[in-house]
Amino acid sequence: MTAESIPETSLSVEALRKGDRHELARMVDLYSDKVYRLALKFTNNPQDAEDVLQETFLKAMRALPEFEGRSSLSTWLYRIAVNEALMLLRKQKPDMALDTPGEEDDSEESAPSNGLILADWCCLPEDELLSEESRRFLDEAIQRLPATLRSVFILRDLEGLSIRETAELLGLTETNVKTRLLRARLFLRQQLSRYFGERLKQWEQK
């Protein structure tokens, strides 16, 4: 389910702007699970995800009187959640680079696109490819992505948002999103190739 597929028409934006408690509670009910799962993918920590969830709705409720409806309510909430998650990560890792809205990213980033080590793991048994250890390694590899790439990858490939939705949410151009997504995928493919290359050697030696 993407951010746009939640039935927003069931919420009254006007009532939300006026601070209607019933409508605010319904907004939290509709979006809390989605916001929490998104925050968890960014932080990889349940407590941090809870903190992001709480801060997202606190900031949203304070800002609702000024919500102009230029974007959908779900996109607006997602944007707050992503910003909160990135800012939390920045506090934990002060040297981490964050997305700059509108930035044209044509330079080479820290996610490598050259010298890729691409192993062929087609011969690995399916239980090796889908093992808990393999999924854990992928989660860790996603966390190693630079924040500028991770946010695009999570929103586009894990959350299923379109290129346009991702660009709108992050304040980037669609070209910028496509560039960052490519770099993120190349980085993860390199990491997974190394990992499964080692697993294939181990399996062949059994």
Side-chain angles (χ1 to χ4, degrees):
M1 179 182 295
T2 68
E4 290 191 346
S5 62
I6 298 176
E8 294 186 0
T9 53
S10 64
L11 288 171
S12 169
V13 174
E14 185 61 30
L16 289 171
R17 288 196 188 104
K18 293 179 179 178
D20 183 279
R21 292 184 179 182
H22 175 69
E23 213 60 358
L24 289 171
R26 293 183 64 230
M27 180 185 72
V28 172
D29 286 341
L30 273 174
Y31 293 106
S32 58
D33 286 346
K34 290 288 293 180
V35 169
Y36 175 79
R37 287 197 297 269
L38 178 67
L40 187 60
K41 289 171 183 174
F42 271 89
T43 64
N44 202 33
N45 181 294
Q47 183 57 57
D48 287 344
E50 288 283 355
D51 292 343
V52 170
L53 175 66
Q54 181 178 2
E55 286 300 314
T56 295
F57 283 111
L58 285 174
K59 288 195 173 182
M61 289 177 185
R62 287 196 293 265
L64 270 168
E66 285 75 46
F67 176 62
E68 298 179 353
R70 295 179 181 176
S71 61
S72 65
L73 182 63
S74 57
T75 297
W76 184 67
L77 285 171
Y78 259 48
R79 185 179 295 119
I80 295 174
V82 169
N83 287 338
E84 285 301 309
L86 290 175
M87 291 306 296
L88 177 63
L89 292 173
R90 180 61 181 272
K91 289 178 182 178
Q92 296 171 348
K93 301 176 182 179
D95 58 338
M96 184 183 72
L98 297 181
D99 285 316
T100 301
E103 173 191 359
E104 287 301 331
D105 186 10
D106 295 324
S107 61
E108 292 300 321
E109 293 205 27
S110 54
S113 58
N114 298 319
L116 291 176
I117 302 174
L118 304 178
D120 182 1
W121 56 77
C122 64
C123 300
L124 276 173
E126 185 175 354
D127 58 351
E128 289 284 339
L129 294 173
L130 301 178
S131 68
E132 181 178 347
E133 180 182 342
S134 299
R135 289 194 295 269
R136 185 169 59 251
F137 180 86
L138 176 59
D139 288 340
E140 292 171 354
I142 292 172
Q143 292 303 310
R144 287 195 294 272
L145 279 168
T148 53
L149 306 185
R150 189 192 319 161
S151 56
V152 169
F153 179 80
I154 289 174
L155 293 171
R156 177 69 182 97
D157 282 359
L158 299 187
E159 287 294 297
L161 273 66
S162 67
I163 294 292
R164 179 182 60 80
E165 290 170 329
T166 302
E168 179 185 357
L169 198 153
L170 295 176
L172 302 170
T173 66
E174 292 187 19
T175 298
N176 193 266
V177 168
K178 292 175 183 177
T179 299
R180 293 186 181 196
L181 184 61
L182 174 61
R183 290 173 178 163
R185 288 170 175 171
L186 287 172
F187 176 81
L188 292 174
R189 184 175 180 182
Q190 181 184 35
Q191 297 295 305
L192 291 172
S193 292
R194 287 172 173 168
Y195 171 76
F196 283 119
E198 291 300 318
R199 295 297 295 269
L200 180 59
K201 291 179 182 178
Q202 296 173 6
W203 182 73
E204 289 175 340
Q205 293 171 359
K206 290 182 179 178

